[in-house]
Amino acid sequence: MSESSHPENFIPAMSAIAREAGALLMQYFHQGLKIEYKGDADLVTAADRASEALIRERVSKQFPSHDVMGEEQGLKDRGSEYRWYVDPLDGTTNFAHGYPVFAVSMALEHRSGDTETRIAGVVYDPTRDELFTAEKGRGAHLNGKLIHVSKMAQLKECLVATGFPSHKRHKNPNIFFYHQITLKTHGVRRAGSAALDLCNVACGRFDGFWEFNLNPWDTAAGVLLVEEAGGRVTRFDGSPFELNSRETLASNGLVHDALLHEFEEIFAGRGLEALPDPRVYQR
Ligand code: IPD
Ligand code: CA
Ligand code: CA
């Protein structure tokens, strides 16, 4: 079967499940809830768990043979040819603080022999009622309208985005990249939902996005959206992106080489702008 000719259209079912999970998240969001910790500064709420339980229930009813890998419950691998990657609430820290930037992210992968193809992806932002959908070989849509990455070709005119993992922040080098890329662009946004960051590249609001150490459930849907919207996604050295890459660099394609060049320079420690000294500022 060719990658682009998957006969079944899973998007309507995935969209309905994502909308239902999003509505559930909004109920929790309005009522306020207790924060728990999975680790130091790694938050989880009852809403994360309830959303994943709902999604799993709907998938098992409609697609009983499919496997599901979800952030909260992991994967019970039954060797199915279909695997869902589910982030039931991407942006938990925002959610728990009442900051309305979060989403439900789901992707479906088809597995045949050694070949794994992500065939469909859905990201639903219930705060804006924005549903992003993509099907392999059939383009990307926002609320049913075809979307495309931006046409920005100059890095210095770009608006880009990044994120920081909620745990192990002290070991993450991204603060250096944040600093350097901020000085080379119109700015770097750090909104707190990697799935939405990728969707915002797909629809041209952002020209690029990068993050260290994302997990498959963060990226599986958003990466397909960027690719289907005409963009490019690689590792930080330009090699092909894979779900377990731990490096995600997405762009409109036009500024990808420029971003790769900046990454090479930063990793090599070349041409770095020195961090401003707060003591000098104070004087
Ligand atoms: C997090 C968000 C955030 C990113 C973190 C992720 P979660 O997902 O996507 O933007 O910076 O790396 O862990 O924990 O809210 O599902
Ligand atoms: Ca996530
Ligand atoms: Ca999550």
Side-chain angles (χ1 to χ4, degrees):
M1 189 186 309
S2 89
E3 285 184 353
S4 59
S5 65
H6 212 275
E8 192 166 347
N9 180 0
F10 291 96
I11 294 291
M14 293 175 80
S15 301
I17 297 171
R19 282 187 180 282
E20 223 189 318
L24 181 67
L25 291 180
M26 290 311 281
Q27 283 176 22
Y28 279 94
F29 189 65
H30 291 309
Q31 90 200 15
L33 35 76
K34 194 170 138 248
I35 301 173
E36 297 163 45
Y37 289 88
K38 285 197 263 195
D40 181 32
D42 193 4
L43 279 50
V44 65
T45 68
D48 298 67
R49 298 201 186 94
S51 174
E52 182 160 329
L54 181 150
I55 294 167
R56 283 181 181 273
E57 203 276 329
R58 300 297 185 268
V59 173
S60 72
K61 225 178 217 145
Q62 295 175 49
F63 307 102
S65 66
H66 291 196
D67 285 340
V68 176
M69 174 189 266
E71 179 175 10
E72 307 307 332
Q73 290 182 39
L75 167 74
K76 191 169 154 226
D77 189 355
R78 296 172 301 159
S80 170
E81 63 176 318
Y82 289 101
R83 179 180 293 180
W84 294 58
Y85 291 92
V86 174
D87 192 336
L89 167 47
D90 187 51
T92 297
T93 305
N94 289 342
F95 184 93
H97 287 267
Y99 181 59
V101 178
F102 53 86
V104 178
S105 176
M106 303 190 307
L108 181 58
E109 181 178 79
H110 182 252
R111 304 161 75 85
S112 167
D114 287 342
T115 314
E116 295 155 6
T117 310
R118 284 184 300 286
I119 56 173
V122 167
V123 176
Y124 181 55
D125 172 355
T127 73
R128 291 179 170 73
D129 190 25
E130 289 192 334
L131 180 72
F132 295 88
T133 57
E135 253 187 299
K136 182 87 183 165
R138 293 180 188 161
H141 294 82
L142 165 52
N143 288 346
K145 288 200 178 122
L146 200 64
I147 51 174
H148 205 273
V149 292
S150 76
K151 294 190 166 46
M152 197 61 75
Q154 300 289 329
L155 191 56
K156 63 180 193 312
E157 292 173 10
C158 285
L159 183 64
V160 298
T162 190
F164 293 81
S166 25
H167 56 295
K168 295 194 179 146
R169 280 176 292 186
H170 55 295
K171 287 195 183 145
N172 197 290
N174 199 28
I175 197 71
F176 295 99
F177 289 77
Y178 185 88
H179 177 221
Q180 301 303 323
I181 306 282
T182 293
L183 301 176
K184 297 274 165 85
T185 58
H186 276 176
V188 181
R189 297 290 175 263
R190 187 272 192 260
S193 162
L196 286 178
D197 289 335
L198 286 162
C199 289
N200 284 323
V201 174
C203 70
R205 294 171 184 159
F206 291 149
D207 308 296
F209 163 76
W210 81 91
E211 189 163 340
F212 289 78
N213 293 326
L214 285 169
N215 287 297
W217 49 81
D218 298 310
T219 53
V223 165
L224 183 63
L225 265 139
V226 171
E227 289 171 345
E228 286 300 320
R232 185 174 164 201
V233 187
T234 65
R235 290 165 54 97
F236 296 155
D237 62 0
S239 59
F241 170 86
E242 281 163 31
L243 277 189
N244 292 313
S245 289
R246 318 296 292 173
E247 292 180 2
T248 310
L249 176 62
S251 80
N252 64 5
L254 300 173
V255 291
H256 209 86
D257 287 343
L259 280 166
L260 287 173
H261 173 73
E262 294 303 329
F263 271 70
E264 197 182 336
E265 294 291 287
I266 299 167
F267 274 124
R270 282 191 295 264
L272 299 183
E273 294 280 347
L275 280 163
D277 185 335
R279 290 161 303 186
V280 173
Y281 171 79
Q282 224 180 15
R283 270 184 232 134

